Amino acid sequence: MTVSDPVVEDVVATISRTATEIRQGLIGRRGTVDEENPSGETQAEADVWADELLSDRVAGIDGVGQYASEERADVVACGDDPATSSAYAVAVDPLDGSSNLKSNNAMGTIFGVYDAALPARGDTLVAAGYVLYGPITTLVLATDETVSEYELTGGERTLIERDVTLPAEPVVYGFGGRVPDWPDDFREYAREIESELKLRYGGALIGDVNQVLTYGGTFGYPALQSRPTGKLRLQFEGNPIGYVVERAGGRSSNGSQSLLTVDPDDLHDRTPVHVGNDDLIERLEAALA
Ligand code: AHG
Ligand code: MN
Ligand code: MN
């Protein structure tokens, strides 16, 4: 099933094809380079390589005016300015959860297609999604029409579910950061959730969010005492994931409002990220109020 917007379809097809190469190229790229990304984190060889592949391909798409990634300090201008034209801006996390490379656990590639110049609010997204490098390589794609899940083989995508929605009954939760570093109000909320749901935390946002999308529940990487804006990046992780979960009938929050309504200051802004079932996010925001 293709996407009605031809530029979005081209972006999704390009990322799907590139994801196949990324997965095959992880072998031999499990080390780190002695460079840091703009968030000050040591880069894995695979982070840099996946970003190179994606920037070459995505920046060459007609109708894409900007490419940005968490691995690059600045936006790459690659066509008409999305601020003054109908061109889109594509923001990617080329390899999410790259610390899982060493331990051979799930990772992902996250993308957001913004109808605005970057950095942009999440409510300017026209499409967002992620590739999950699990036992099977899958793609979850959200547009204003629906949320679909595909299996990726040989660069092609096969639709396996359309109208993906968050199950009404929550089952799993996952919270990032260290417990002693959680603010008291979040820790109280977390203790309640821990007594109700099953822990699923794998160290890659995409793997953990896919559990929530599949079984219902909530994922959070909260504001920490040591880092009040949390760890995850708004443009490359928070907005795309918030868009997917909200399109699937759930909610997103930075602790007080939908992630999609947060006005960004900088391309690499960090934000607390919470996504999941309506009432769980409701309870979170009440606990942090
Ligand atoms: P990335 O590899 O793109 O930097 O993302 C890692 C993020 C996210 O995937 C995950 O939820 C979080 O880091 C895990 O953080 P901790 O290692 O602190 O649990
Ligand atoms: Mn990430
Ligand atoms: Mn990453």
Side-chain angles (χ1 to χ4, degrees), residues 9 34 59 118 142 153 176 198-200 202 229 233 243:
E9 171 55 31
D34 54 0
L118 297 176
T153 42
K198 290 198 295 188
L199 172 60
R200 289 290 183 276
T229 54
R233 285 129 301 214
Y243 182 84

Side-chain angles (χ1 to χ4, degrees), residues 70 93 95-97 110 233 237:
E70 71 173 25
D93 177 354
L95 200 57
D96 172 64
I110 310 172
R233 285 129 301 214
E237 295 164 311

Side-chain angles (χ1 to χ4, degrees), residues 161-180:
E161 190 177 346
R162 183 180 157 76
D163 299 335
V164 174
T165 46
L166 208 57
E169 274 313 304
V171 174
V172 298
Y173 78 93
F175 296 138
R178 289 183 173 80
V179 176

Side-chain angles (χ1 to χ4, degrees), residues 62-138:
D62 240 357
V64 172
Q66 289 183 333
Y67 170 89
S69 97
E70 71 173 25
E71 305 304 336
R72 290 166 186 257
D74 304 313
V75 173
V76 174
C78 51
D80 295 339
D81 183 346
T84 54
S85 75
S86 60
Y88 292 142
V90 179
V92 301
D93 177 354
L95 200 57
D96 172 64
S98 52
S99 61
N100 278 354
L101 253 180
K102 201 169 170 185
S103 55
N104 193 26
N105 292 105
M107 288 172 288
T109 293
I110 310 172
F111 63 93
V113 184
Y114 293 85
D115 188 7
L118 297 176
R121 278 170 54 123
D123 53 17
T124 64
L125 283 165
V126 293
Y130 56 84
V131 175
L132 174 56
Y133 305 111
I136 296 164
T137 307
T138 53

